[in-house]
Amino acid sequence: MMISSSIKVCKINELPDGQSKCLRVNDKEVAVFNVKGKYYAIDNTCIHAGAPLNDGHIDEEKCQVICSWHGWGYDLATGKCVTHPRQDVFAGSYPVKILGDEIFIEIK
Ligand code: FES
């Protein structure tokens, strides 16, 4: 059975609107984004060639991050790669919750 655990990211005031933060969880990196006061967490490693997605451009209108190396886009809510011709290419995505003034992600 997989047990999920809550990992603290930071305090809310440490991740302003339009910015991202990367943290290492076990053997991977997760990027957490603030888009207009909503928080999203996806794998930080671009599926294409491994660029760190927290270095990408955040498109707040589309709620996407655009990889800084070759421009692949990811939906922050689902992790879906929106530029890949296949419809089933996703970066891992993780639930985010707020407790008090702190941000947490749920990792299985
Ligand atoms: S490494 Fe991200 S688009 Fe190429």
Side-chain angles (χ1 to χ4, degrees):
M1 187 173 100
M2 294 292 277
I3 298 176
S4 66
S5 58
S6 292
I7 309 288
K8 180 182 166 184
V9 178
C10 63
K11 289 184 177 287
I12 287 173
N13 63 10
E14 294 171 330
L15 182 53
D17 182 17
Q19 296 198 16
S20 64
K21 193 172 190 64
C22 168
L23 65 156
R24 176 163 282 281
V25 180
N26 300 326
D27 59 343
K28 63 181 157 194
E29 289 189 348
V30 176
V32 183
F33 298 84
N34 178 343
V35 178
K36 299 180 178 178
K38 286 190 137 187
Y39 301 93
Y40 304 93
I42 65 173
D43 284 336
N44 193 39
T45 306
C46 181
I47 293 166
H48 178 220
L53 290 174
N54 70 316
D55 283 350
H57 166 71
I58 300 173
D59 183 332
E60 291 202 282
E61 294 312 311
K62 293 181 179 171
C63 197
Q64 295 175 0
V65 62
I66 311 302
C67 181
S68 60
W69 286 8
H70 317 97
W72 284 24
Y74 294 85
D75 182 299
L76 291 173
T78 63
K80 184 177 190 305
C81 182
V82 296
T83 48
H84 200 285
R86 280 179 36 194
Q87 297 298 306
D88 61 346
V89 176
F90 287 78
S93 67
Y94 308 92
V96 180
K97 65 182 179 188
I98 306 299
L99 288 177
D101 63 348
E102 296 179 328
I103 305 166
F104 292 82
I105 56 174
E106 293 281 334
I107 301 281
K108 283 192 175 155

XYZ file of all heavy atoms in Angstrom:
844
model
N 0.844 -1.188 0.000
C 0.000 0.000 0.000
C 0.888 1.250 0.000
O 1.843 1.326 0.760
C -0.887 -0.021 1.231
C -1.912 1.082 1.238
S -3.061 0.880 2.624
C -2.374 2.038 3.778
N 0.532 2.216 -0.861
C 1.285 3.467 -0.893
C 0.723 4.422 0.148
O -0.483 4.606 0.246
C 1.177 4.110 -2.278
C 1.834 3.307 -3.382
S 3.607 3.261 -3.229
C 4.025 4.813 -3.993
N 1.594 4.996 0.916
C 1.170 5.982 1.909
C 1.677 7.339 1.455
O 2.841 7.488 1.124
C 1.741 5.629 3.292
C 1.187 4.274 3.732
C 1.408 6.727 4.297
C 1.741 3.770 5.033
N 0.787 8.324 1.441
C 1.223 9.649 1.040
C 1.672 10.424 2.262
O 1.230 10.164 3.376
C 0.108 10.399 0.313
O -0.944 10.665 1.187
N 2.545 11.369 2.023
C 3.004 12.199 3.126
C 3.013 13.650 2.687
O 3.165 13.955 1.506
C 4.392 11.762 3.582
O 5.297 11.836 2.521
N 2.824 14.514 3.656
C 2.827 15.950 3.389
C 4.236 16.482 3.563
O 4.876 16.228 4.588
C 1.896 16.680 4.359
O 0.566 16.340 4.104
N 4.684 17.184 2.557
C 6.016 17.784 2.601
C 5.842 19.303 2.628
O 5.167 19.871 1.755
C 6.839 17.419 1.347
C 6.823 15.907 1.095
C 8.252 17.972 1.448
C 7.604 15.083 2.042
N 6.453 19.939 3.591
C 6.363 21.403 3.665
C 7.211 22.024 2.565
O 8.369 21.626 2.361
C 6.829 21.897 5.033
C 6.751 23.409 5.165
C 7.257 23.868 6.519
C 7.491 25.367 6.501
N 8.066 25.861 7.758
N 6.627 22.995 1.860
C 7.355 23.705 0.805
C 7.988 24.966 1.384
O 9.202 25.162 1.313
C 6.401 24.065 -0.360
C 7.146 24.855 -1.436
C 5.768 22.806 -0.936
N 7.159 25.840 1.919
C 7.611 27.112 2.478
C 6.400 27.836 3.042
O 5.277 27.324 2.959
C 8.300 27.980 1.422
S 7.216 28.469 0.064
N 6.616 29.014 3.571
C 5.491 29.854 3.979
C 4.899 30.538 2.743
O 5.605 30.758 1.751
C 5.964 30.915 4.987
C 6.323 30.346 6.349
C 6.682 31.466 7.314
C 6.977 30.925 8.695
N 5.789 30.487 9.412
N 3.617 30.856 2.834
C 2.924 31.494 1.712
C 3.662 32.749 1.250
O 3.826 32.976 0.049
C 1.469 31.831 2.111
C 0.637 30.538 2.181
C 0.834 32.819 1.149
C -0.752 30.729 2.726
N 4.120 33.540 2.180
C 4.748 34.817 1.785
C 6.136 34.626 1.174
O 6.745 35.584 0.720
C 4.785 35.808 2.959
C 5.631 35.325 4.114
O 6.350 34.325 3.994
N 5.551 36.014 5.240
N 6.623 33.387 1.161
C 7.924 33.121 0.523
C 7.773 32.695 -0.940
O 8.776 32.453 -1.617
C 8.673 32.035 1.304
C 9.073 32.483 2.710
C 9.630 31.346 3.558
O 9.237 30.175 3.376
O 10.470 31.647 4.421
N 6.525 32.574 -1.415
C 6.302 32.189 -2.818
C 5.264 33.144 -3.424
O 4.071 32.842 -3.488
C 5.830 30.728 -2.895
C 5.604 30.143 -4.282
C 6.822 30.321 -5.173
C 5.244 28.662 -4.183
N 5.732 34.305 -3.882
C 4.806 35.319 -4.397
C 4.172 34.906 -5.735
O 4.674 34.012 -6.425
C 5.700 36.553 -4.599
C 6.956 36.269 -3.863
C 7.106 34.780 -3.834
N 3.106 35.589 -6.086
C 2.405 35.367 -7.352
C 3.389 35.454 -8.525
O 4.226 36.351 -8.581
C 1.316 36.437 -7.496
C 0.501 36.255 -8.749
O 0.527 35.169 -9.347
O -0.166 37.221 -9.150
N 3.279 34.501 -9.447
C 4.101 34.512 -10.653
C 5.484 33.929 -10.452
O 6.330 34.036 -11.339
N 5.718 33.302 -9.308
C 7.037 32.724 -9.058
C 6.929 31.235 -8.753
O 5.844 30.697 -8.558
C 7.709 33.466 -7.903
C 7.967 34.912 -8.268
C 8.989 35.569 -7.360
O 9.728 34.916 -6.642
N 9.023 36.881 -7.415
N 8.084 30.591 -8.733
C 8.118 29.158 -8.457
C 9.249 28.848 -7.498
O 10.152 29.670 -7.294
C 8.300 28.370 -9.757
O 9.551 28.669 -10.322
N 9.167 27.659 -6.976
C 10.174 27.221 -6.009
C 10.412 25.743 -6.262
O 9.468 24.998 -6.535
C 9.608 27.433 -4.607
C 10.586 27.324 -3.490
C 9.899 27.751 -2.204
C 10.875 27.892 -1.064
N 11.855 28.944 -1.258
N 11.650 25.330 -6.183
C 11.980 23.922 -6.407
C 12.409 23.291 -5.089
O 13.105 23.911 -4.292
C 13.122 23.851 -7.426
S 13.849 22.229 -7.553
N 11.952 22.068 -4.862
C 12.457 21.355 -3.691
C 12.741 19.906 -4.062
O 12.145 19.366 -5.006
C 11.487 21.426 -2.513
C 10.130 20.781 -2.618
C 9.613 20.450 -1.230
C 9.161 21.746 -3.288
N 13.680 19.339 -3.359
C 14.035 17.942 -3.590
C 13.230 17.072 -2.645
O 13.191 17.315 -1.447
C 15.533 17.732 -3.384
C 15.958 16.287 -3.521
C 17.446 16.159 -3.732
N 17.832 16.468 -5.104
C 17.710 15.622 -6.129
N 17.210 14.423 -5.952
N 18.080 15.981 -7.337
N 12.560 16.078 -3.223
C 11.773 15.143 -2.422
C 12.249 13.742 -2.787
O 12.072 13.297 -3.923
C 10.275 15.273 -2.713
C 9.489 14.294 -1.852
C 9.793 16.696 -2.464
N 12.871 13.080 -1.821
C 13.456 11.768 -2.066
C 14.402 11.840 -3.256
O 15.347 12.587 -3.241
C 12.373 10.704 -2.251
C 11.483 10.600 -1.018
O 11.959 10.783 0.088
N 10.220 10.334 -1.220
N 14.080 11.132 -4.355
C 15.028 11.094 -5.471
C 14.633 12.017 -6.611
O 15.164 11.904 -7.710
C 15.152 9.657 -5.983
C 13.820 9.111 -6.449
O 12.770 9.692 -6.097
O 13.831 8.099 -7.173
N 13.694 12.926 -6.388
C 13.314 13.801 -7.499
C 13.129 15.233 -7.037
O 13.056 15.509 -5.846
C 12.047 13.302 -8.154
C 10.827 13.310 -7.266
C 9.657 12.767 -8.047
C 8.590 12.234 -7.122
N 7.631 11.433 -7.833
N 13.032 16.126 -8.043
C 12.772 17.529 -7.756
C 11.342 17.853 -8.148
O 10.859 17.414 -9.198
C 13.730 18.426 -8.539
C 15.150 18.365 -8.033
C 16.036 19.414 -8.686
O 15.604 20.031 -9.679
O 17.157 19.596 -8.198
N 10.690 18.627 -7.299
C 9.320 19.072 -7.563
C 9.336 20.594 -7.598
O 9.994 21.238 -6.775
C 8.358 18.565 -6.466
C 6.952 19.113 -6.684
C 8.346 17.033 -6.429
N 8.631 21.168 -8.574
C 8.517 22.624 -8.674
C 7.114 23.026 -8.237
O 6.129 22.421 -8.658
C 8.781 23.084 -10.104
N 7.049 24.023 -7.393
C 5.764 24.542 -6.907
C 5.609 25.962 -7.448
O 6.543 26.770 -7.376
C 5.721 24.537 -5.366
C 4.362 24.999 -4.873
C 6.032 23.135 -4.843
N 4.443 26.237 -8.020
C 4.185 27.511 -8.697
C 3.035 28.239 -8.013
O 2.059 27.611 -7.592
C 3.789 27.257 -10.160
C 4.859 26.578 -10.968
C 4.983 25.183 -10.936
C 5.732 27.304 -11.741
C 5.968 24.545 -11.687
C 6.725 26.677 -12.492
C 6.844 25.298 -12.463
N 3.146 29.551 -7.957
C 2.037 30.397 -7.517
C 1.507 31.123 -8.755
O 2.213 31.914 -9.375
C 2.530 31.408 -6.475
C 1.426 32.355 -6.007
O 0.384 32.496 -6.647
N 1.672 33.024 -4.895
N 0.267 30.814 -9.127
C -0.386 31.493 -10.245
C -1.621 32.188 -9.697
O -2.616 31.537 -9.356
C -0.782 30.501 -11.360
C -1.492 31.228 -12.494
C 0.444 29.767 -11.878
N -1.508 33.488 -9.561
C -2.625 34.304 -9.080
C -3.174 33.795 -7.744
O -4.383 33.709 -7.545
C -3.738 34.354 -10.128
C -3.277 34.967 -11.447
C -4.407 34.995 -12.456
C -3.957 35.648 -13.749
N -4.994 35.665 -14.777
N -2.258 33.397 -6.878
C -2.678 32.988 -5.541
C -3.089 31.529 -5.425
O -3.465 31.082 -4.339
N -3.044 30.793 -6.538
C -3.286 29.350 -6.473
C -1.947 28.644 -6.650
O -1.099 29.098 -7.425
C -4.265 28.910 -7.566
C -5.705 29.302 -7.284
C -6.633 28.622 -8.270
C -7.852 28.100 -7.562
N -8.695 27.289 -8.434
N -1.816 27.513 -5.992
C -0.528 26.817 -5.984
C -0.630 25.490 -6.722
O -1.640 24.772 -6.602
C -0.069 26.588 -4.535
C 0.061 27.875 -3.776
C -1.004 28.354 -3.019
C 1.211 28.642 -3.853
C -0.908 29.559 -2.347
C 1.316 29.847 -3.182
C 0.250 30.293 -2.431
O 0.349 31.499 -1.765
N 0.429 25.175 -7.463
C 0.465 23.954 -8.266
C 1.839 23.316 -8.101
O 2.843 24.022 -7.994
C 0.245 24.280 -9.751
C -1.035 25.025 -10.017
C -1.056 26.409 -10.053
C -2.237 24.341 -10.211
C -2.241 27.101 -10.269
C -3.419 25.027 -10.439
C -3.414 26.407 -10.471
O -4.582 27.081 -10.681
N 1.874 21.994 -8.151
C 3.153 21.294 -8.013
C 3.277 20.226 -9.099
O 2.376 19.391 -9.264
C 3.255 20.651 -6.635
N 4.359 20.288 -9.857
C 4.642 19.265 -10.874
C 6.125 18.895 -10.786
O 6.926 19.613 -10.188
C 4.294 19.708 -12.311
C 5.171 20.877 -12.759
C 2.815 20.067 -12.420
C 4.976 21.228 -14.259
N 6.467 17.764 -11.419
C 7.882 17.392 -11.480
C 8.685 18.539 -12.083
O 8.241 19.181 -13.043
C 8.066 16.140 -12.347
C 7.646 14.870 -11.623
O 7.655 14.849 -10.379
O 7.297 13.904 -12.331
N 9.875 18.751 -11.548
C 10.679 19.881 -12.027
C 11.476 19.550 -13.279
O 12.071 20.437 -13.873
C 11.641 20.329 -10.915
C 12.256 21.671 -11.223
O 11.588 22.557 -11.746
N 13.531 21.823 -10.907
N 11.477 18.307 -13.703
C 12.333 17.889 -14.817
C 11.525 17.786 -16.102
O 10.590 16.987 -16.208
C 12.962 16.521 -14.490
O 13.628 16.618 -13.238
C 13.943 16.110 -15.569
N 11.892 18.597 -17.098
C 11.190 18.559 -18.383
C 11.358 17.180 -19.035
O 12.472 16.630 -19.080
C 11.742 19.645 -19.305
S 10.913 19.698 -20.905
N 10.262 16.639 -19.527
C 10.288 15.314 -20.140
C 11.154 15.285 -21.393
O 11.753 14.272 -21.728
C 8.844 14.884 -20.472
C 8.058 14.668 -19.182
C 8.817 13.641 -21.345
C 6.567 14.562 -19.383
N 11.268 16.423 -22.081
C 12.005 16.460 -23.344
C 13.490 16.165 -23.152
O 13.996 15.170 -23.657
C 11.824 17.827 -24.024
C 12.583 17.955 -25.304
N 13.230 19.102 -25.651
C 12.795 17.066 -26.293
C 13.813 18.921 -26.837
N 13.558 17.696 -27.242
N 14.186 17.012 -22.415
C 15.634 16.819 -22.262
C 16.131 17.189 -20.870
O 17.319 17.408 -20.682
C 16.391 17.606 -23.331
N 15.198 17.278 -19.924
C 15.628 17.368 -18.538
C 15.851 18.747 -17.962
O 16.404 18.864 -16.865
N 15.426 19.791 -18.651
C 15.613 21.141 -18.095
C 14.789 21.309 -16.818
O 13.738 20.690 -16.667
C 15.183 22.191 -19.112
N 15.268 22.163 -15.924
C 14.478 22.446 -14.718
C 13.304 23.366 -15.055
O 13.498 24.491 -15.514
C 15.480 23.134 -13.787
C 16.531 23.693 -14.682
C 16.583 22.836 -15.912
N 12.091 22.879 -14.816
C 10.911 23.653 -15.213
C 10.721 24.901 -14.355
O 10.056 25.847 -14.788
C 9.662 22.772 -15.164
C 9.631 21.690 -16.253
C 8.435 20.770 -16.055
C 9.618 22.305 -17.644
N 11.307 24.920 -13.174
C 11.145 26.143 -12.375
C 11.948 27.304 -12.947
O 11.776 28.434 -12.517
C 11.507 25.901 -10.899
C 12.987 25.687 -10.693
O 13.615 24.952 -11.458
N 13.536 26.300 -9.683
N 12.804 27.047 -13.941
C 13.486 28.128 -14.660
C 12.672 28.616 -15.848
O 13.075 29.542 -16.546
C 14.850 27.651 -15.206
C 15.891 27.581 -14.102
O 15.629 28.078 -12.988
O 16.970 27.021 -14.364
N 11.536 27.962 -16.124
C 10.749 28.311 -17.298
C 9.920 29.565 -17.092
O 9.888 30.165 -16.015
N 9.227 29.948 -18.173
C 8.354 31.125 -18.136
C 6.968 30.696 -17.677
O 6.392 29.749 -18.222
C 8.273 31.744 -19.535
C 7.172 32.738 -19.664
N 7.208 33.975 -19.053
C 5.972 32.666 -20.306
C 6.088 34.619 -19.323
N 5.321 33.854 -20.082
N 6.430 31.375 -16.702
C 5.075 31.068 -16.223
C 4.082 31.921 -17.007
O 4.156 33.151 -16.988
C 4.941 31.345 -14.713
C 5.934 30.480 -13.931
C 3.511 31.071 -14.257
C 5.999 30.812 -12.450
N 3.191 31.254 -17.739
C 2.107 31.932 -18.444
C 0.890 31.898 -17.521
O 0.195 30.869 -17.423
C 1.812 31.213 -19.762
C 0.741 31.916 -20.581
O -0.123 32.594 -19.979
O 0.757 31.770 -21.810
N 0.661 32.988 -16.832
C -0.401 32.989 -15.816
C -1.791 32.911 -16.449
O -2.708 32.383 -15.837
C -0.276 34.216 -14.923
C 0.957 34.152 -14.024
C 0.824 35.031 -12.803
O 1.002 36.252 -12.948
O 0.526 34.507 -11.731
N -1.946 33.446 -17.659
C -3.275 33.403 -18.289
C -3.662 31.965 -18.627
O -4.807 31.567 -18.455
C -3.294 34.270 -19.548
C -3.126 35.761 -19.263
C -4.037 36.267 -18.141
O -5.238 35.970 -18.179
O -3.535 36.942 -17.220
N -2.709 31.201 -19.134
C -2.996 29.804 -19.512
C -2.735 28.828 -18.374
O -2.999 27.635 -18.513
C -2.144 29.409 -20.721
C -2.510 30.153 -21.989
C -1.650 29.692 -23.156
C -2.037 30.410 -24.433
N -1.088 30.129 -25.517
N -2.178 29.306 -17.283
C -1.789 28.463 -16.154
C -0.837 27.360 -16.628
O -1.052 26.171 -16.408
C -3.014 27.870 -15.449
S -2.621 27.246 -13.800
N 0.206 27.801 -17.335
C 1.200 26.872 -17.870
C 2.603 27.373 -17.544
O 2.808 28.560 -17.290
C 1.079 26.788 -19.406
C -0.224 26.189 -19.886
C -0.346 26.232 -21.399
O 0.548 26.713 -22.102
N -1.464 25.737 -21.902
N 3.557 26.430 -17.582
C 4.962 26.821 -17.558
C 5.562 26.409 -18.901
O 5.249 25.338 -19.427
C 5.734 26.194 -16.367
C 5.762 24.676 -16.429
C 7.150 26.755 -16.291
N 6.390 27.298 -19.450
C 7.031 27.039 -20.734
C 8.508 26.779 -20.464
O 9.213 27.642 -19.918
C 6.884 28.253 -21.684
C 5.423 28.734 -21.728
C 7.417 27.907 -23.069
C 4.424 27.695 -22.155
N 8.973 25.603 -20.842
C 10.357 25.216 -20.572
C 11.329 26.196 -21.234
O 11.158 26.583 -22.392
C 10.597 23.792 -21.082
S 12.270 23.205 -20.770
N 12.352 26.560 -20.490
C 13.289 27.579 -20.969
C 14.232 27.056 -22.054
O 14.835 27.853 -22.767
C 14.109 28.129 -19.793
O 14.839 27.086 -19.183
N 14.357 25.733 -22.197
C 15.315 25.230 -23.176
C 14.743 25.169 -24.592
O 15.345 25.686 -25.529
C 15.824 23.847 -22.762
C 16.801 23.874 -21.608
C 17.139 24.959 -20.834
C 17.571 22.780 -21.111
N 18.041 24.593 -19.878
C 18.334 23.275 -20.023
C 17.678 21.429 -21.461
C 19.197 22.453 -19.295
C 18.539 20.619 -20.724
C 19.295 21.129 -19.668
N 13.616 24.525 -24.799
C 13.076 24.377 -26.157
C 11.584 24.668 -26.254
O 10.949 24.351 -27.243
C 13.336 22.964 -26.709
C 14.712 22.430 -26.433
N 14.990 21.590 -25.369
C 15.890 22.642 -27.061
C 16.290 21.301 -25.357
N 16.862 21.920 -26.360
N 11.013 25.207 -25.205
C 9.665 25.728 -25.300
C 8.503 24.774 -25.105
O 7.368 25.134 -25.417
N 8.749 23.592 -24.607
C 7.604 22.722 -24.324
C 6.789 23.353 -23.191
O 7.357 23.872 -22.219
C 8.060 21.330 -23.896
C 8.539 20.466 -25.019
C 9.033 20.879 -26.216
C 8.575 19.034 -25.033
N 9.382 19.791 -26.981
C 9.113 18.654 -26.287
C 8.232 18.052 -24.122
C 9.285 17.322 -26.639
C 8.410 16.715 -24.469
C 8.922 16.360 -25.721
N 5.465 23.257 -23.325
C 4.589 23.839 -22.318
C 3.913 22.755 -21.491
O 3.605 21.664 -21.989
N 3.674 23.062 -20.241
C 3.008 22.129 -19.330
C 1.855 22.826 -18.623
O 2.033 23.938 -18.110
C 3.992 21.610 -18.263
C 5.089 20.761 -18.831
C 6.246 21.347 -19.341
C 4.966 19.376 -18.869
C 7.264 20.567 -19.870
C 5.989 18.588 -19.395
C 7.131 19.190 -19.899
O 8.148 18.420 -20.429
N 0.712 22.151 -18.588
C -0.412 22.629 -17.799
C -0.071 22.413 -16.324
O 0.212 21.281 -15.909
C -1.667 21.836 -18.199
C -2.899 22.311 -17.465
O -2.929 22.239 -16.227
O -3.832 22.743 -18.145
N -0.121 23.482 -15.562
C 0.313 23.352 -14.172
C -0.682 22.574 -13.317
O -0.309 21.969 -12.319
C 0.559 24.740 -13.569
C 1.779 25.456 -14.151
C 1.849 26.879 -13.638
C 3.057 24.701 -13.816
N -1.942 22.586 -13.690
C -2.945 21.895 -12.882
C -2.856 20.378 -13.030
O -3.153 19.639 -12.094
C -4.336 22.374 -13.253
N -2.431 19.923 -14.213
C -2.451 18.477 -14.475
C -1.077 17.892 -14.771
O -0.911 16.674 -14.743
C -3.348 18.173 -15.683
O -2.771 18.808 -16.843
C -4.761 18.676 -15.463
N -0.110 18.735 -15.147
C 1.187 18.255 -15.589
C 1.218 17.874 -17.058
O 2.258 17.485 -17.589
N 0.082 17.989 -17.748
C 0.007 17.575 -19.153
C 0.921 18.446 -20.018
O 0.917 19.667 -19.900
C -1.424 17.702 -19.657
C -1.636 17.215 -21.077
C -3.118 17.318 -21.456
C -3.419 16.620 -22.747
N -2.637 17.025 -23.884
N 1.693 17.795 -20.874
C 2.520 18.528 -21.825
C 1.623 18.986 -22.965
O 1.111 18.164 -23.732
C 3.660 17.648 -22.334
S 4.732 18.554 -23.468
N 1.453 20.293 -23.092
C 0.488 20.828 -24.060
C 1.091 21.003 -25.453
O 0.361 21.276 -26.402
C -0.103 22.165 -23.572
C -0.909 21.952 -22.302
C 0.986 23.199 -23.347
N 2.398 20.858 -25.601
C 3.015 21.004 -26.915
C 3.309 19.656 -27.569
O 3.604 19.602 -28.752
C 4.343 21.790 -26.822
O 5.117 21.257 -25.764
C 4.090 23.254 -26.562
N 3.234 18.589 -26.806
C 3.548 17.274 -27.371
C 2.389 16.797 -28.239
O 1.224 16.958 -27.854
C 3.809 16.267 -26.246
C 4.585 15.071 -26.695
N 4.014 14.069 -27.448
C 5.878 14.736 -26.528
C 4.943 13.152 -27.713
N 6.080 13.536 -27.160
N 2.683 16.247 -29.405
C 1.581 15.791 -30.266
C 0.757 14.671 -29.640
O -0.427 14.534 -29.945
C 2.291 15.319 -31.542
C 3.726 15.191 -31.193
C 3.987 16.102 -30.035
N 1.358 13.872 -28.785
C 0.574 12.841 -28.095
C -0.196 13.471 -26.943
O 0.258 14.437 -26.332
C 1.501 11.736 -27.577
C 1.879 10.757 -28.674
C 2.809 9.668 -28.209
N 2.577 9.210 -26.855
C 3.435 8.465 -26.178
N 4.592 8.109 -26.731
N 3.167 8.069 -24.965
N -1.337 12.922 -26.643
C -2.207 13.483 -25.611
C -1.946 12.891 -24.233
O -2.596 13.278 -23.272
C -3.677 13.233 -25.994
C -4.098 13.924 -27.269
C -3.996 15.450 -27.158
O -4.540 16.044 -26.252
N -3.251 16.048 -28.072
N -1.029 11.934 -24.175
C -0.857 11.223 -22.903
C 0.525 11.434 -22.294
O 1.056 10.568 -21.616
C -1.103 9.730 -23.115
C -0.117 9.123 -24.109
O 0.573 9.895 -24.813
O -0.048 7.884 -24.193
N 1.103 12.603 -22.540
C 2.432 12.890 -22.007
C 2.279 13.872 -20.837
O 1.835 15.014 -21.034
C 3.347 13.467 -23.101
C 4.699 13.846 -22.521
C 3.514 12.446 -24.219
N 2.608 13.402 -19.664
C 2.418 14.197 -18.450
C 3.692 14.217 -17.621
O 4.383 13.199 -17.505
C 1.336 13.575 -17.549
C -0.071 13.745 -18.061
C -0.550 12.952 -19.082
C -0.898 14.698 -17.506
C -1.847 13.108 -19.553
C -2.193 14.857 -17.961
C -2.667 14.066 -18.984
N 3.981 15.371 -17.017
C 4.895 15.415 -15.882
C 4.070 15.031 -14.653
O 2.862 15.279 -14.623
C 5.463 16.822 -15.718
N 4.693 14.439 -13.662
C 3.959 14.110 -12.447
C 3.407 15.369 -11.801
O 4.069 16.411 -11.807
N 2.202 15.295 -11.283
C 1.649 16.454 -10.573
C 1.186 16.006 -9.185
O 0.881 14.823 -8.975
C 0.499 17.091 -11.353
O -0.610 16.225 -11.399
N 1.157 16.944 -8.293
C 0.942 16.621 -6.881
C -0.057 17.577 -6.256
O -0.026 18.783 -6.540
C 2.287 16.716 -6.125
C 3.354 15.904 -6.790
C 4.195 16.493 -7.736
C 3.477 14.544 -6.552
C 5.150 15.736 -8.416
C 4.427 13.780 -7.215
C 5.254 14.383 -8.151
O 6.184 13.642 -8.826
N -0.921 17.067 -5.381
C -1.853 17.948 -4.686
C -1.103 18.931 -3.775
O -0.087 18.573 -3.174
C -2.707 16.989 -3.847
C -2.483 15.634 -4.432
C -1.113 15.651 -5.027
N -1.623 20.129 -3.719
C -1.053 21.163 -2.851
C -2.114 21.564 -1.839
O -3.289 21.698 -2.190
C -0.643 22.404 -3.670
C -0.048 23.473 -2.758
C 0.342 22.027 -4.764
N -1.704 21.733 -0.596
C -2.664 22.237 0.386
C -1.991 23.306 1.247
O -0.761 23.337 1.380
C -3.232 21.103 1.234
C -2.240 20.407 2.119
C -2.903 19.261 2.877
C -1.902 18.543 3.747
N -2.443 17.325 4.358
N -2.848 24.143 1.785
C -2.387 25.229 2.645
C -2.843 24.917 4.066
O -4.025 24.636 4.295
C -2.996 26.578 2.209
C -2.732 26.838 0.721
C -2.464 27.720 3.070
C -1.286 26.914 0.345
N -1.915 24.941 4.976
C -2.253 24.791 6.394
C -1.700 26.008 7.114
O -0.477 26.219 7.124
C -1.651 23.519 6.972
C -2.274 22.184 6.531
C -1.508 21.014 7.129
C -3.744 22.118 6.938
N -2.609 26.812 7.662
C -2.157 28.045 8.295
C -1.541 28.943 7.246
O -2.175 29.245 6.235
N -0.294 29.340 7.466
C 0.380 30.199 6.478
C 1.497 29.434 5.750
O 2.450 30.028 5.268
C 0.944 31.452 7.155
C 2.022 31.122 8.187
O 2.166 29.927 8.544
O 2.721 32.047 8.628
N 1.339 28.103 5.670
C 2.373 27.292 5.028
C 1.805 26.460 3.882
O 0.635 26.056 3.910
C 3.032 26.375 6.069
C 3.757 27.165 7.152
C 4.392 26.274 8.203
O 3.846 25.190 8.486
O 5.449 26.665 8.724
N 2.655 26.198 2.898
C 2.287 25.422 1.715
C 2.861 24.012 1.855
O 4.049 23.854 2.187
C 2.862 26.071 0.437
C 2.417 27.529 0.328
C 2.459 25.280 -0.805
C 3.201 28.319 -0.716
N 2.037 23.021 1.559
C 2.470 21.624 1.610
C 2.122 20.941 0.293
O 1.137 21.293 -0.359
C 1.765 20.867 2.744
C 2.165 21.304 4.115
C 1.590 22.432 4.689
C 3.117 20.605 4.828
C 1.955 22.842 5.964
C 3.486 21.003 6.103
C 2.907 22.130 6.676
N 2.915 19.953 -0.092
C 2.545 19.086 -1.206
C 2.382 17.667 -0.678
O 3.007 17.284 0.312
C 3.581 19.122 -2.351
C 4.979 18.751 -1.847
C 3.580 20.469 -3.040
C 5.992 18.638 -2.963
N 1.523 16.929 -1.377
C 1.273 15.534 -1.011
C 2.054 14.646 -1.975
O 1.871 14.720 -3.194
C -0.212 15.202 -1.138
C -1.089 15.927 -0.144
C -1.051 15.283 1.231
O -0.777 14.071 1.309
O -1.273 16.014 2.207
N 2.912 13.823 -1.429
C 3.718 12.908 -2.241
C 3.412 11.479 -1.820
O 3.372 11.169 -0.632
C 5.225 13.167 -2.035
C 5.573 14.603 -2.403
C 6.062 12.168 -2.824
C 5.718 14.881 -3.859
N 3.204 10.614 -2.811
C 2.964 9.202 -2.476
C 4.271 8.455 -2.394
O 5.201 8.753 -3.085
C 2.072 8.567 -3.526
C 0.651 8.981 -3.336
C -0.284 8.141 -4.173
C -1.700 8.527 -3.851
N -2.614 8.266 -4.897
S 14.301 20.366 -22.210
Fe 12.349 21.258 -21.936
S 11.684 21.651 -23.943
Fe 13.591 20.700 -24.219
